[in-house]
Coordinates of all heavy atoms in Angstrom, one line a residue:
V27 N 26.1 -17.1 -4.3 CA 26.4 -15.8 -3.7 C 25.4 -14.8 -4.1 O 25.1 -14.6 -5.2 CB 27.8 -15.3 -4.2 CG1 28.2 -14.0 -3.6 CG2 28.9 -16.4 -3.8
R28 N 24.9 -14.1 -3.1 CA 23.9 -13.0 -3.3 C 24.6 -11.8 -3.8 O 25.7 -11.5 -3.4 CB 23.1 -12.8 -2.1 CG 22.3 -13.9 -1.6 CD 21.6 -13.5 -0.4 NE 20.8 -14.7 0.1 CZ 19.9 -14.6 1.1 NH1 19.7 -13.5 1.6 NH2 19.3 -15.7 1.4
N29 N 23.9 -11.0 -4.6 CA 24.5 -9.8 -5.1 C 24.2 -8.7 -4.0 O 23.3 -8.8 -3.2 CB 24.1 -9.4 -6.5 CG 22.6 -9.1 -6.6 OD1 22.0 -8.6 -5.6 ND2 22.0 -9.4 -7.7
L30 N 25.0 -7.6 -4.1 CA 24.9 -6.6 -3.1 C 23.5 -5.9 -3.1 O 23.0 -5.7 -2.0 CB 26.0 -5.5 -3.3 CG 26.1 -4.4 -2.3 CD1 26.4 -5.0 -0.9 CD2 27.2 -3.4 -2.7
E31 N 22.9 -5.7 -4.2 CA 21.6 -5.1 -4.3 C 20.6 -6.0 -3.5 O 19.8 -5.5 -2.8 CB 21.2 -5.0 -5.7 CG 19.8 -4.3 -5.9 CD 19.4 -4.1 -7.4 OE1 20.3 -4.1 -8.2 OE2 18.2 -4.0 -7.6
K32 N 20.7 -7.3 -3.7 CA 19.7 -8.2 -3.0 C 20.0 -8.1 -1.5 O 19.1 -8.1 -0.7 CB 19.9 -9.6 -3.5 CG 18.7 -10.4 -3.6 CD 18.9 -11.7 -4.3 CE 17.6 -12.3 -4.6 NZ 17.8 -13.6 -5.2
E33 N 21.3 -8.1 -1.0 CA 21.6 -8.0 0.4 C 21.0 -6.7 1.0 O 20.4 -6.8 2.1 CB 23.1 -8.0 0.6 CG 23.8 -9.3 0.4 CD 23.4 -10.3 1.4 OE1 23.1 -10.0 2.6 OE2 23.3 -11.5 1.1
N34 N 21.1 -5.6 0.3 CA 20.5 -4.4 0.8 C 19.0 -4.4 1.0 O 18.5 -3.8 1.8 CB 20.9 -3.2 -0.1 CG 22.4 -2.8 0.0 OD1 23.0 -3.1 1.0 ND2 22.9 -2.2 -1.0
D35 N 18.3 -5.2 0.1 CA 16.9 -5.4 0.2 C 16.5 -6.1 1.5 O 15.4 -5.9 2.0 CB 16.4 -6.2 -1.0 CG 16.4 -5.4 -2.3 OD1 16.6 -4.2 -2.2 OD2 16.3 -6.1 -3.3
L36 N 17.4 -6.8 2.1 CA 17.1 -7.6 3.3 C 17.4 -6.8 4.6 O 17.1 -7.3 5.7 CB 17.9 -8.9 3.3 CG 17.5 -9.9 2.2 CD1 18.4 -11.1 2.4 CD2 16.0 -10.2 2.3
Q37 N 18.0 -5.6 4.5 CA 18.3 -4.8 5.6 C 17.1 -4.1 6.2 O 16.3 -3.5 5.4 CB 19.4 -3.8 5.3 CG 20.7 -4.5 4.9 CD 21.2 -5.5 5.9 OE1 21.3 -5.1 7.1 NE2 21.6 -6.6 5.5
P38 N 16.9 -4.1 7.5 CA 15.8 -3.4 8.0 C 15.9 -1.9 7.8 O 17.0 -1.4 7.9 CB 15.8 -3.7 9.5 CG 17.2 -4.2 9.8 CD 17.7 -4.7 8.5
K39 N 14.8 -1.2 7.5 CA 14.9 0.2 7.2 C 14.5 1.1 8.4 O 14.8 2.2 8.5 CB 14.0 0.5 6.0 CG 14.6 -0.2 4.7 CD 13.8 0.1 3.5 CE 14.4 -0.6 2.3 NZ 14.3 -2.0 2.3
D40 N 13.7 0.6 9.3 CA 13.3 1.3 10.5 C 12.9 0.3 11.6 O 12.8 -0.9 11.3 CB 12.3 2.3 10.2 CG 10.9 1.7 9.8 OD1 10.5 0.7 10.3 OD2 10.3 2.4 9.0
K41 N 12.7 0.8 12.7 CA 12.4 -0.1 13.9 C 10.9 -0.3 14.1 O 10.5 -1.1 14.9 CB 13.0 0.5 15.2 CG 14.5 0.7 15.1 CD 15.1 -0.6 15.4 CE 16.6 -0.4 15.4 NZ 17.3 -1.6 15.4
R42 N 10.0 0.4 13.4 CA 8.6 0.3 13.6 C 7.8 -0.1 12.3 O 8.4 0.1 11.3 CB 8.1 1.6 14.2 CG 8.7 1.9 15.5 CD 8.1 3.1 16.1 NE 8.9 3.4 17.3 CZ 8.8 4.5 18.0 NH1 7.8 5.3 17.7 NH2 9.5 4.7 19.0
G43 N 6.6 -0.4 12.5 CA 5.7 -0.6 11.3 C 5.8 -2.0 10.8 O 6.2 -3.0 11.5
R44 N 5.4 -2.2 9.6 CA 5.4 -3.5 9.0 C 6.8 -4.1 8.8 O 7.7 -3.4 8.8 CB 4.7 -3.4 7.6 CG 3.3 -3.0 7.7 CD 2.6 -2.7 6.4 NE 3.0 -3.7 5.4 CZ 2.6 -3.7 4.2 NH1 2.0 -2.6 3.7 NH2 3.0 -4.6 3.4
S45 N 6.8 -5.4 8.7 CA 8.1 -6.1 8.6 C 8.8 -5.7 7.3 O 8.2 -5.5 6.3 CB 7.8 -7.6 8.5 OG 9.0 -8.3 8.3
K46 N 10.1 -5.6 7.5 CA 10.9 -5.2 6.3 C 11.3 -6.4 5.5 O 11.9 -6.3 4.5 CB 12.2 -4.4 6.8 CG 11.8 -3.2 7.6 CD 10.9 -2.3 6.9 CE 10.4 -1.2 7.8 NZ 9.0 -0.8 7.6
Y47 N 10.9 -7.6 6.0 CA 11.3 -8.8 5.3 C 10.0 -9.4 4.7 O 9.0 -9.6 5.5 CB 11.9 -9.8 6.2 CG 13.2 -9.2 6.8 CD1 13.2 -8.7 8.1 CD2 14.4 -9.2 6.1 CE1 14.3 -8.2 8.7 CE2 15.5 -8.7 6.6 CZ 15.5 -8.2 7.9 OH 16.7 -7.6 8.5
P48 N 9.9 -9.7 3.5 CA 8.7 -10.3 2.9 C 8.4 -11.7 3.5 O 9.3 -12.4 4.0 CB 9.0 -10.4 1.4 CG 10.5 -10.3 1.3 CD 11.0 -9.6 2.5
D49 N 7.2 -12.2 3.3 CA 6.8 -13.4 3.9 C 7.7 -14.6 3.4 O 8.0 -15.5 4.2 CB 5.3 -13.8 3.5 CG 4.3 -12.9 4.3 OD1 4.7 -12.2 5.3 OD2 3.1 -12.9 3.9
N50 N 8.1 -14.6 2.2 CA 8.9 -15.7 1.7 C 10.3 -15.8 2.4 O 10.7 -16.9 2.7 CB 9.0 -15.7 0.1 CG 9.8 -14.5 -0.4 OD1 9.7 -13.4 0.2 ND2 10.6 -14.7 -1.4
I51 N 10.8 -14.6 2.7 CA 12.1 -14.6 3.4 C 11.9 -15.1 4.8 O 12.7 -15.9 5.4 CB 12.8 -13.2 3.4 CG1 13.1 -12.8 2.0 CG2 14.0 -13.2 4.3 CD1 14.1 -13.6 1.3
R52 N 10.8 -14.6 5.5 CA 10.6 -15.0 6.8 C 10.3 -16.5 6.9 O 10.8 -17.2 7.8 CB 9.4 -14.2 7.4 CG 9.7 -12.7 7.5 CD 8.7 -11.9 8.1 NE 7.4 -11.9 7.4 CZ 6.3 -11.6 8.0 NH1 6.2 -11.2 9.3 NH2 5.2 -11.6 7.3
L53 N 9.5 -17.0 6.0 CA 9.1 -18.4 5.9 C 10.4 -19.3 5.7 O 10.6 -20.3 6.4 CB 8.1 -18.7 4.8 CG 7.6 -20.2 4.7 CD1 7.0 -20.7 6.0 CD2 6.6 -20.3 3.6
E54 N 11.2 -18.9 4.8 CA 12.5 -19.6 4.5 C 13.3 -19.7 5.8 O 13.9 -20.7 6.1 CB 13.3 -18.8 3.5 CG 14.6 -19.4 3.1 CD 15.4 -18.6 2.1 OE1 14.9 -18.4 1.0 OE2 16.5 -18.1 2.5
A55 N 13.4 -18.6 6.6 CA 14.2 -18.5 7.8 C 13.6 -19.5 8.8 O 14.3 -20.2 9.5 CB 14.3 -17.1 8.4
L56 N 12.3 -19.5 9.0 CA 11.6 -20.4 9.9 C 11.9 -21.8 9.5 O 12.2 -22.7 10.4 CB 10.1 -20.1 10.0 CG 9.7 -18.8 10.7 CD1 8.3 -18.5 10.3 CD2 9.9 -19.0 12.1
Q57 N 11.8 -22.2 8.3 CA 12.0 -23.5 7.8 C 13.5 -24.0 8.0 O 13.7 -25.1 8.4 CB 11.6 -23.7 6.4 CG 10.1 -23.6 6.2 CD 9.6 -23.5 4.8 OE1 10.4 -23.1 3.9 NE2 8.4 -23.9 4.5
E58 N 14.4 -23.1 7.8 CA 15.8 -23.4 8.0 C 16.1 -23.6 9.5 O 16.8 -24.6 9.8 CB 16.7 -22.2 7.5 CG 16.9 -22.1 6.0 CD 17.7 -20.9 5.6 OE1 18.6 -20.5 6.4 OE2 17.5 -20.4 4.5
W59 N 15.5 -22.8 10.3 CA 15.7 -23.0 11.8 C 15.0 -24.3 12.2 O 15.7 -25.1 13.0 CB 15.1 -21.8 12.5 CG 15.2 -22.0 14.0 CD1 14.1 -22.2 14.9 CD2 16.3 -22.1 14.8 NE1 14.6 -22.4 16.2 CE2 15.9 -22.3 16.2 CE3 17.7 -22.0 14.5 CZ2 16.9 -22.5 17.2 CZ3 18.6 -22.1 15.6 CH2 18.2 -22.4 16.9
D60 N 13.9 -24.6 11.7 CA 13.2 -25.9 12.1 C 14.0 -27.1 11.7 O 13.9 -28.1 12.3 CB 11.8 -25.9 11.5 CG 10.8 -24.9 12.2 OD1 11.1 -24.4 13.3 OD2 9.8 -24.6 11.5
A61 N 14.7 -26.9 10.5 CA 15.4 -28.1 10.0 C 16.7 -28.3 10.7 O 17.3 -29.4 10.6 CB 15.7 -27.9 8.5
L62 N 17.2 -27.3 11.5 CA 18.5 -27.5 12.2 C 18.3 -28.4 13.4 O 17.3 -28.3 14.1 CB 19.0 -26.2 12.7 CG 19.7 -25.3 11.7 CD1 20.1 -24.0 12.3 CD2 20.9 -25.9 11.1
D63 N 19.2 -29.3 13.7 CA 19.2 -30.1 14.9 C 20.3 -29.5 15.8 O 21.4 -29.7 15.6 CB 19.5 -31.6 14.6 CG 19.4 -32.5 15.8 OD1 19.4 -31.9 16.9 OD2 19.4 -33.7 15.6
P64 N 19.8 -28.8 16.9 CA 20.8 -28.1 17.7 C 21.8 -29.0 18.4 O 22.9 -28.7 18.7 CB 19.9 -27.4 18.8 CG 18.5 -27.7 18.5 CD 18.4 -28.6 17.3
S65 N 21.4 -30.3 18.6 CA 22.3 -31.2 19.2 C 23.5 -31.6 18.3 O 24.5 -32.0 18.7 CB 21.6 -32.5 19.7 OG 21.0 -33.2 18.6
I66 N 23.2 -31.5 17.0 CA 24.3 -31.8 16.0 C 25.0 -30.5 15.6 O 26.2 -30.4 15.6 CB 23.7 -32.5 14.8 CG1 23.1 -33.8 15.1 CG2 24.7 -32.6 13.6 CD1 22.3 -34.5 14.1
S67 N 24.2 -29.4 15.2 CA 24.8 -28.2 14.7 C 25.4 -27.3 15.8 O 26.4 -26.6 15.6 CB 23.8 -27.4 13.9 OG 22.8 -26.9 14.8
G68 N 24.9 -27.4 17.0 CA 25.4 -26.5 18.1 C 25.0 -25.1 18.0 O 25.5 -24.2 18.7
V69 N 24.2 -24.7 16.9 CA 23.8 -23.3 16.7 C 22.6 -23.0 17.6 O 21.7 -23.7 17.7 CB 23.5 -23.1 15.2 CG1 22.9 -21.7 14.9 CG2 24.7 -23.4 14.3
I70 N 22.8 -21.8 18.2 CA 21.6 -21.3 19.0 C 20.9 -20.3 18.2 O 21.4 -19.7 17.2 CB 22.1 -20.7 20.4 CG1 23.0 -19.6 20.2 CG2 22.6 -21.8 21.2 CD1 23.4 -18.9 21.5
L71 N 19.7 -19.9 18.6 CA 18.8 -19.0 17.8 C 19.5 -17.7 17.5 O 19.5 -17.2 16.3 CB 17.5 -18.9 18.4 CG 16.5 -18.0 17.6 CD1 16.3 -18.5 16.2 CD2 15.2 -17.9 18.4
S72 N 20.1 -17.1 18.5 CA 20.7 -15.8 18.3 C 21.8 -15.9 17.2 O 22.0 -14.9 16.4 CB 21.2 -15.2 19.6 OG 22.2 -16.0 20.2
E73 N 22.6 -16.9 17.2 CA 23.7 -17.1 16.2 C 23.1 -17.3 14.8 O 23.6 -16.7 13.8 CB 24.5 -18.3 16.5 CG 25.4 -18.2 17.8 CD 26.0 -19.5 18.2 OE1 25.6 -20.6 17.8 OE2 27.0 -19.4 18.9
F74 N 22.0 -18.1 14.8 CA 21.3 -18.3 13.5 C 20.8 -17.0 12.9 O 21.0 -16.7 11.7 CB 20.2 -19.3 13.7 CG 19.3 -19.4 12.5 CD1 19.7 -20.2 11.4 CD2 18.1 -18.7 12.4 CE1 18.8 -20.3 10.3 CE2 17.2 -18.8 11.3 CZ 17.6 -19.6 10.2
L75 N 20.2 -16.2 13.8 CA 19.6 -14.9 13.3 C 20.7 -13.9 12.9 O 20.5 -13.2 11.9 CB 18.7 -14.3 14.4 CG 17.4 -15.1 14.7 CD1 16.7 -14.5 15.9 CD2 16.5 -15.1 13.5
E76 N 21.8 -13.9 13.6 CA 22.9 -13.1 13.2 C 23.5 -13.5 11.9 O 23.8 -12.6 11.0 CB 24.1 -13.1 14.3 CG 25.2 -12.3 14.0 CD 26.3 -12.3 15.0 OE1 26.1 -12.9 16.1 OE2 27.3 -11.6 14.8
N77 N 23.6 -14.7 11.6 CA 24.2 -15.2 10.4 C 23.2 -15.0 9.2 O 23.6 -14.6 8.1 CB 24.5 -16.7 10.4 CG 25.7 -17.0 11.3 OD1 26.5 -16.2 11.5 ND2 25.7 -18.2 11.8
K78 N 21.9 -15.1 9.5 CA 20.9 -15.0 8.4 C 20.6 -13.5 8.1 O 20.5 -13.1 7.0 CB 19.6 -15.7 8.9 CG 18.5 -15.7 7.9 CD 18.7 -16.7 6.8 CE 17.5 -16.7 5.9 NZ 17.8 -17.5 4.7
F79 N 20.5 -12.7 9.2 CA 20.0 -11.3 9.0 C 21.0 -10.2 9.4 O 20.8 -9.0 9.2 CB 18.7 -11.1 9.7 CG 17.6 -12.0 9.3 CD1 17.2 -13.1 10.0 CD2 16.9 -11.7 8.1 CE1 16.2 -13.9 9.5 CE2 15.9 -12.5 7.6 CZ 15.5 -13.6 8.3
G80 N 22.0 -10.6 10.1 CA 23.1 -9.7 10.5 C 22.8 -8.9 11.8 O 21.7 -9.1 12.4
T81 N 23.7 -8.0 12.1 CA 23.5 -7.1 13.2 C 23.8 -5.7 12.8 O 24.4 -5.4 11.8 CB 24.5 -7.5 14.4 OG1 25.8 -7.4 13.9 CG2 24.2 -8.9 14.9
T82 N 23.3 -4.8 13.7 CA 23.6 -3.3 13.5 C 24.1 -2.8 14.9 O 23.3 -2.9 15.8 CB 22.4 -2.5 13.0 OG1 21.9 -3.1 11.8 CG2 22.7 -1.1 12.8
G83 N 25.3 -2.4 14.9 CA 25.9 -1.9 16.2 C 25.8 -3.0 17.3 O 25.6 -2.7 18.4
G84 N 26.0 -4.3 16.9 CA 26.0 -5.4 17.8 C 24.6 -5.9 18.2 O 24.5 -6.8 19.1
I85 N 23.6 -5.3 17.7 CA 22.2 -5.7 18.0 C 21.6 -6.4 16.8 O 21.8 -6.0 15.7 CB 21.3 -4.4 18.3 CG1 21.9 -3.7 19.6 CG2 19.9 -4.8 18.5 CD1 21.3 -2.4 19.8
L86 N 21.0 -7.6 17.1 CA 20.4 -8.4 16.0 C 19.4 -7.5 15.2 O 18.6 -6.8 15.8 CB 19.7 -9.6 16.6 CG 20.5 -10.7 17.2 CD1 19.6 -11.7 18.0 CD2 21.3 -11.4 16.2
N87 N 19.5 -7.7 13.9 CA 18.5 -7.0 13.0 C 17.1 -7.6 13.2 O 16.1 -6.9 13.0 CB 19.0 -7.0 11.6 CG 20.1 -6.1 11.3 OD1 20.3 -5.1 12.0 ND2 20.9 -6.4 10.3
V88 N 17.1 -8.9 13.5 CA 15.8 -9.6 13.8 C 16.0 -10.2 15.2 O 16.6 -11.2 15.4 CB 15.5 -10.7 12.7 CG1 14.3 -11.4 13.1 CG2 15.4 -10.1 11.4
P89 N 15.4 -9.5 16.2 CA 15.5 -10.1 17.6 C 14.7 -11.4 17.7 O 13.8 -11.6 16.9 CB 14.9 -9.0 18.4 CG 14.9 -7.8 17.6 CD 14.8 -8.2 16.2
E90 N 15.1 -12.2 18.7 CA 14.4 -13.5 18.9 C 12.9 -13.3 19.0 O 12.1 -14.1 18.4 CB 15.0 -14.2 20.1 CG 16.4 -14.7 19.8 CD 17.0 -15.4 20.9 OE1 16.3 -16.2 21.6 OE2 18.2 -15.3 21.2
P91 N 12.4 -12.4 19.8 CA 10.9 -12.3 19.9 C 10.2 -11.9 18.6 O 9.1 -12.4 18.3 CB 10.7 -11.1 20.9 CG 11.9 -11.1 21.7 CD 13.0 -11.4 20.7
T92 N 10.9 -11.2 17.7 CA 10.4 -10.9 16.4 C 10.3 -12.1 15.6 O 9.3 -12.4 14.9 CB 11.2 -9.8 15.7 OG1 11.2 -8.6 16.5 CG2 10.8 -9.5 14.3
F93 N 11.4 -12.9 15.6 CA 11.4 -14.2 14.9 C 10.2 -15.1 15.3 O 9.6 -15.7 14.5 CB 12.7 -14.9 15.1 CG 12.9 -16.1 14.3 CD1 13.2 -16.1 13.0 CD2 12.9 -17.4 14.9 CE1 13.4 -17.2 12.2 CE2 13.1 -18.5 14.2 CZ 13.4 -18.4 12.9
H94 N 10.0 -15.2 16.6 CA 8.9 -16.0 17.1 C 7.6 -15.5 16.7 O 6.6 -16.2 16.4 CB 9.0 -16.2 18.6 CG 10.2 -17.0 19.1 ND1 10.4 -18.3 18.7 CD2 11.2 -16.7 19.9 CE1 11.5 -18.8 19.2 NE2 12.0 -17.8 19.9
G95 N 7.5 -14.1 16.6 CA 6.3 -13.5 16.2 C 5.9 -13.8 14.7 O 4.8 -13.9 14.3
W96 N 7.0 -13.9 13.9 CA 6.8 -14.3 12.5 C 6.1 -15.6 12.4 O 5.2 -15.8 11.5 CB 8.1 -14.4 11.8 CG 8.8 -13.1 11.5 CD1 8.4 -11.8 11.8 CD2 10.1 -12.9 11.0 NE1 9.3 -10.9 11.4 CE2 10.4 -11.6 10.9 CE3 11.1 -13.8 10.5 CZ2 11.6 -11.0 10.4 CZ3 12.3 -13.3 10.0 CH2 12.5 -11.9 10.0
R97 N 6.5 -16.6 13.2 CA 5.9 -17.9 13.2 C 4.3 -17.8 13.4 O 3.6 -18.4 12.7 CB 6.5 -18.7 14.3 CG 6.1 -20.2 14.3 CD 6.8 -20.9 15.5 NE 8.3 -20.7 15.5 CZ 9.2 -21.5 15.0 NH1 8.8 -22.6 14.4 NH2 10.5 -21.1 15.1
R98 N 4.0 -17.0 14.4 CA 2.5 -16.8 14.7 C 1.8 -16.1 13.5 O 0.7 -16.5 13.1 CB 2.3 -16.0 16.0 CG 2.7 -16.7 17.2 CD 2.3 -16.0 18.5 NE 3.1 -14.7 18.6 CZ 4.3 -14.6 19.1 NH1 4.9 -15.7 19.6 NH2 4.9 -13.4 19.2
Q99 N 2.4 -15.1 13.0 CA 1.8 -14.3 11.9 C 1.7 -15.2 10.6 O 0.6 -15.2 10.0 CB 2.7 -13.1 11.5 CG 2.7 -12.0 12.6 CD 3.8 -11.0 12.3 OE1 4.5 -11.1 11.3 NE2 3.8 -9.9 13.1
L100 N 2.7 -16.0 10.3 CA 2.6 -16.8 9.1 C 1.6 -18.0 9.3 O 1.0 -18.4 8.4 CB 4.0 -17.3 8.7 CG 5.0 -16.2 8.2 CD1 6.3 -16.8 7.9 CD2 4.4 -15.5 7.0
R101 N 1.5 -18.4 10.5 CA 0.5 -19.5 10.8 C -0.9 -18.9 10.6 O -1.7 -19.6 10.0 CB 0.7 -19.9 12.3 CG 0.6 -21.4 12.5 CD 0.7 -21.8 13.9 NE 2.1 -22.4 14.1 CZ 2.8 -22.2 15.2 NH1 2.3 -21.6 16.2 NH2 4.0 -22.7 15.3
K102 N -1.1 -17.7 11.1 CA -2.4 -17.1 10.9 C -2.8 -16.9 9.4 O -3.9 -17.0 9.0 CB -2.5 -15.7 11.6 CG -2.7 -15.8 13.1 CD -2.8 -14.4 13.6 CE -2.9 -14.4 15.1 NZ -3.0 -13.0 15.7
K103 N -1.8 -16.6 8.6 CA -2.0 -16.4 7.2 C -2.1 -17.8 6.4 O -2.3 -17.8 5.2 CB -0.8 -15.7 6.5 CG -0.7 -14.2 7.0 CD 0.5 -13.5 6.3 CE 0.6 -12.1 6.7 NZ 1.7 -11.4 6.0
G104 N -1.8 -18.9 7.2 CA -1.9 -20.2 6.5 C -0.6 -20.6 5.7 O -0.6 -21.5 5.0
L105 N 0.5 -19.8 6.0 CA 1.7 -20.0 5.2 C 2.7 -21.0 5.9 O 3.6 -21.5 5.3 CB 2.4 -18.7 4.9 CG 1.6 -17.7 4.1 CD1 2.4 -16.4 4.0 CD2 1.4 -18.3 2.7
Y106 N 2.5 -21.1 7.2 CA 3.4 -21.9 8.0 C 2.7 -23.0 8.8 O 1.7 -22.7 9.5 CB 4.2 -21.0 9.0 CG 5.1 -21.7 9.9 CD1 6.4 -22.1 9.5 CD2 4.8 -22.0 11.2 CE1 7.3 -22.8 10.3 CE2 5.7 -22.7 12.1 CZ 6.9 -23.1 11.6 OH 7.7 -23.7 12.4
K107 N 3.2 -24.2 8.6 CA 2.6 -25.3 9.4 C 3.6 -25.7 10.5 O 4.8 -25.8 10.2 CB 2.3 -26.5 8.4 CG 1.5 -26.2 7.3 CD 0.0 -26.2 7.6 CE -0.9 -26.1 6.4 NZ -1.6 -24.9 6.2
K108 N 3.0 -26.1 11.6 CA 3.8 -26.5 12.7 C 4.6 -27.8 12.3 O 4.0 -28.7 11.8 CB 2.9 -26.8 13.9 CG 3.6 -26.8 15.2 CD 2.6 -26.8 16.4 CE 3.3 -26.5 17.7 NZ 2.3 -26.4 18.8
P109 N 5.9 -27.8 12.6 CA 6.7 -29.0 12.2 C 6.3 -30.2 13.1 O 5.8 -30.1 14.1 CB 8.1 -28.6 12.4 CG 8.1 -27.4 13.2 CD 6.8 -26.8 13.1

């Protein structure tokens, strides 16, 4: 169980600028998503993102295009390898 202080660290602070999530959190999320087998789990990306990062006013804190952008950014940094 994560403590409240850690949870607050994962909340986005604004809508622009640099990512509010560090590379290790983004990489962990990408790896978790890659490891899921949608035919077995039945989880779609939007549900995964809601469970992992939450929502604000019914809007995903990490939209799907942002999540896909993380993949490209981390690949450029050499932190993420294509599965």
Side-chain angles (χ1 to χ4, degrees):
V27 177
R28 295 180 183 191
N29 64 33
L30 186 57
E31 182 179 338
K32 219 173 191 182
E33 285 294 325
N34 288 337
D35 290 344
L36 296 180
Q37 296 304 314
K39 293 179 181 72
D40 64 38
K41 299 282 184 192
R42 298 181 189 179
R44 296 172 45 185
S45 176
K46 303 308 172 214
Y47 302 100
D49 287 349
N50 64 324
I51 298 294
R52 297 186 299 160
L53 181 59
E54 177 186 298
L56 287 166
Q57 291 170 335
E58 285 179 28
W59 174 248
D60 291 342
L62 283 178
D63 184 345
S65 64
I66 295 172
S67 70
V69 174
I70 60 173
L71 182 56
S72 60
E73 291 171 341
F74 171 79
L75 294 172
E76 180 177 356
N77 290 334
K78 182 81 176 164
F79 299 103
T81 61
T82 302
I85 298 171
L86 291 171
N87 288 334
V88 175
E90 292 182 36
T92 298
F93 184 75
H94 293 301
W96 289 355
R97 189 180 310 262
R98 288 186 299 274
Q99 291 170 357
L100 292 176
R101 222 181 258 146
K102 282 182 183 179
K103 291 180 179 183
L105 300 174
Y106 177 79
K107 303 280 191 249
K108 200 172 194 175

